[in-house]
């Protein structure tokens, strides 16, 4: 069944895809500007993706993970902002901020709705005629199997990248045998508070593939488990060698919680709870009895493991956007104007100056990828960056170009930076200019751009 839906006001709404932190912030900014949002969330609750890592603590404190427009919307309900200096878990974030915000938005948020396509009304990707004058049509599928077609004046895609984790293979494709061994492979940081999950890893040998914060978290959690359950051991699979920057910025990291996590991962290796395998680019995974063996492109074959945790980053799901004209970088799958600012081949620290509609626009006017999805395959995204994105984008949709192009954010330096280094040079990250915090991303502790920038993104 197919129906055509518009808002209760008779005006086409701005459709926001995803009821996560950035999607809900976009809705709050639209309400503030007198525009009608319609938030479509595939999951059963606000922050459904965030809830899947409810056990993981954020690097940013409460003061940096709530949006100003959202706080204004919440204030009349008696909502109390948590202590701004404390660090929430994903579960805290969802329950204490995202769900209350979605509840205030009421029927402007729909759950159990998956977006299956976005297009210009009556125009496929090829047709030019009167294209910019046509509204968007957003095709959806409900959990009950009902299909719907929604007319929208603009589309803000804040669906994130959580649903599309990267595979184990070093070439960006699943390693040979990865699909077959799927019941022994996880693509999430394990929640060892869950008895079933704990039993899966306790007393067992687990390969952890990846080199970012998620891998640090998994290593730290498995090291804690190893202290309580004998026989528990992690094998850390790294595509590069270990250098001074492998564990992040440590005490010099401007995100102290992230720096501390890197130090915990380092301690896991130094204390013998984890062993590191460097320069290993996974080509295949094979069964050996009831265990698994990883094979590298150079022919190396590791000792068997019981479980594998793959934490190689995420990538955007573009499958429902083929009929709109996106301008995406050929490497990162991020908007072309934004990509040079976040390219991990150049920037390892993640510092990106605040940006908005100019960097997020596409050849198709009126459609925007925001939040983590705007970064494509690049890592290190800050919530406050997403909040600034949607403040700017919603201003542009409202026709306030001056506000859209004005930067209203004080952004913290996000780490020690020395560039990503050369592909095969294990020492390149240490040798890169500015590895003490200067170089490609040199900036003071806080980067303030524009005038009258507030002291922080939120009021917490």
């Amino acid at each position: 069944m197919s129906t055509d839906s518009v808002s209760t006001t008779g005006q086409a709404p701005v459709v926001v895809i995803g009821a996560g932190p950035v999607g809900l912030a976009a809705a709050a900014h639209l309400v503030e500007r007198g525009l009608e949002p319609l938030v479509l969330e595939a999951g059963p609750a606000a922050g459904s993706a965030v809830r899947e890592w409810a056990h993981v603590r954020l690097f940013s404190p409460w003061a940096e993970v709530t949006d100003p427009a959202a706080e204004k919307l919440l204030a009349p309900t008696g909502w109390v902002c948590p202590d701004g200096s404390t660090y929430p878990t994903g579960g805290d974030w969802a329950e204490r901020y995202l769900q209350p915000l979605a509840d205030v938005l009421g029927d402007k948020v729909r759950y159990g709705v998956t977006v299956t396509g976005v297009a210009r009304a009556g125009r496929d990707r090829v047709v030019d005629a009167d294209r910019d004058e046509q509204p968007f049509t957003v095709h959806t599928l409900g959990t009950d199997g009902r299909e719907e077609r929604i007319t929208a004046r603009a589309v803000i895609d804040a669906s994130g990248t959580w649903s599309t984790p990267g595979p184990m293979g070093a070439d960006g494709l699943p390693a040979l045998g990865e699909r077959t061994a799927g019941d022994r492979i996880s693509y999430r940081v394990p929640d060892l508070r869950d008895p079933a999950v704990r039993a899966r890893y306790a007393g067992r040998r687990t390969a952890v593939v990846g080199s970012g914060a998620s891998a640090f978290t998994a290593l730290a959690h498995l090291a804690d488990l190893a202290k309580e359950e004998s026989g528990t051991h992690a094998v850390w699979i790294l595509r590069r060698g270990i250098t001074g920057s492998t564990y992040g910025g440590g005490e010099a990291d401007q995100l102290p919680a992230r720096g501390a996590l890197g130090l915990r991962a380092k301690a896991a290796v130094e204390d013998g709870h984890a062993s590191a395998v460097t320069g290993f680019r996974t080509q295949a995974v094979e069964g050996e009895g009831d265990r698994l063996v990883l094979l590298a492109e150079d022919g190396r074959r590791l000792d068997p493991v019981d479980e594998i945790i793959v934490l190689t980053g995420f990538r955007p799901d573009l499958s429902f956007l083929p009929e709109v004209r996106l301008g995406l970088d050929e490497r990162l799958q991020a908007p072309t104007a934004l990509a040079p600012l976040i390219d991990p081949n150049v920037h390892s620290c993640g510092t990106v100056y605040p940006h908005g509609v100019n960097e997020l626009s596409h050849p198709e006017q009126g459609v925007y990828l925001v939040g983590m999805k705007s970064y494509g395959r690049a890592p290190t995204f800050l919530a406050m960056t997403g909040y600034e994105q949607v403040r700017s984008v919603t201003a542009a949709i409202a026709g306030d170009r001056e506000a859209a192009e004005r930067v209203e954010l004080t952004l913290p330096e996000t780490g020690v930076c020395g560039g990503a280094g050369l592909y095969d040079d294990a020492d390149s990250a240490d040798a890169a200019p500015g590895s003490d915090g200067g170089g490609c991303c040199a900036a003071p502790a806080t980067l303030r751009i524009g005038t009258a920038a507030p002291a922080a993104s939120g009021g917490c």
Side-chain angles (χ1 to χ4, degrees), residues 248-261:
E251 294 179 358
D253 198 319
Q254 293 297 318
L255 295 178
R258 183 179 63 183
L261 182 58

Side-chain angles (χ1 to χ4, degrees), residues 73-81 104:
L73 206 57
L74 283 164
T77 70
W79 177 79
V80 177
C81 186
V104 169

Side-chain angles (χ1 to χ4, degrees), residues 103-176:
D103 291 345
V104 169
L105 289 165
D107 60 6
K108 294 178 175 61
V109 181
R110 295 185 191 174
Y111 302 109
V113 178
T114 298
V115 173
T116 58
V118 178
R120 287 284 187 181
R123 308 289 188 274
D124 65 19
R125 185 188 186 101
V126 176
V127 178
D128 288 334
D130 300 320
R131 186 177 190 88
D132 291 343
E133 285 71 47
Q134 305 307 312
F136 290 96
T137 57
V138 179
H139 289 232
T140 68
L141 179 65
T143 53
D144 59 359
R146 181 183 180 218
E147 293 183 89
E148 187 176 8
R149 185 180 64 200
I150 300 169
T151 300
R153 63 179 292 177
V155 176
I156 300 175
D157 183 357
S159 59
T161 57
W162 181 254
S163 64
T164 47
M168 191 188 334
D171 56 6
L173 299 173
L176 297 178

Side-chain angles (χ1 to χ4, degrees), residues 296-319:
E297 292 178 346
D298 61 9
R300 275 187 291 166
R301 183 184 181 93
L302 298 184
D303 291 337
V305 297
D306 300 292
E307 298 283 342
I308 301 174
I309 300 173
V310 180
L311 300 167
T312 54
F314 297 87
R315 51 190 60 177
D317 178 7
L318 303 171
S319 63

Side-chain angles (χ1 to χ4, degrees), residues 412-440:
E413 177 84 25
T414 61
V416 174
C417 177
L422 301 176
Y423 181 74
D424 281 311
D425 185 356
D427 297 324
S428 61
D430 277 347
S435 60
D436 60 351
C440 64

Side-chain angles (χ1 to χ4, degrees), residues 164-189:
T164 47
M168 191 188 334
D171 56 6
L173 299 173
L176 297 178
E178 183 171 350
R179 294 185 179 92
T180 303
D183 62 336
R184 309 285 289 283
I185 300 174
S186 170
Y187 298 86
R188 309 293 188 221
V189 175

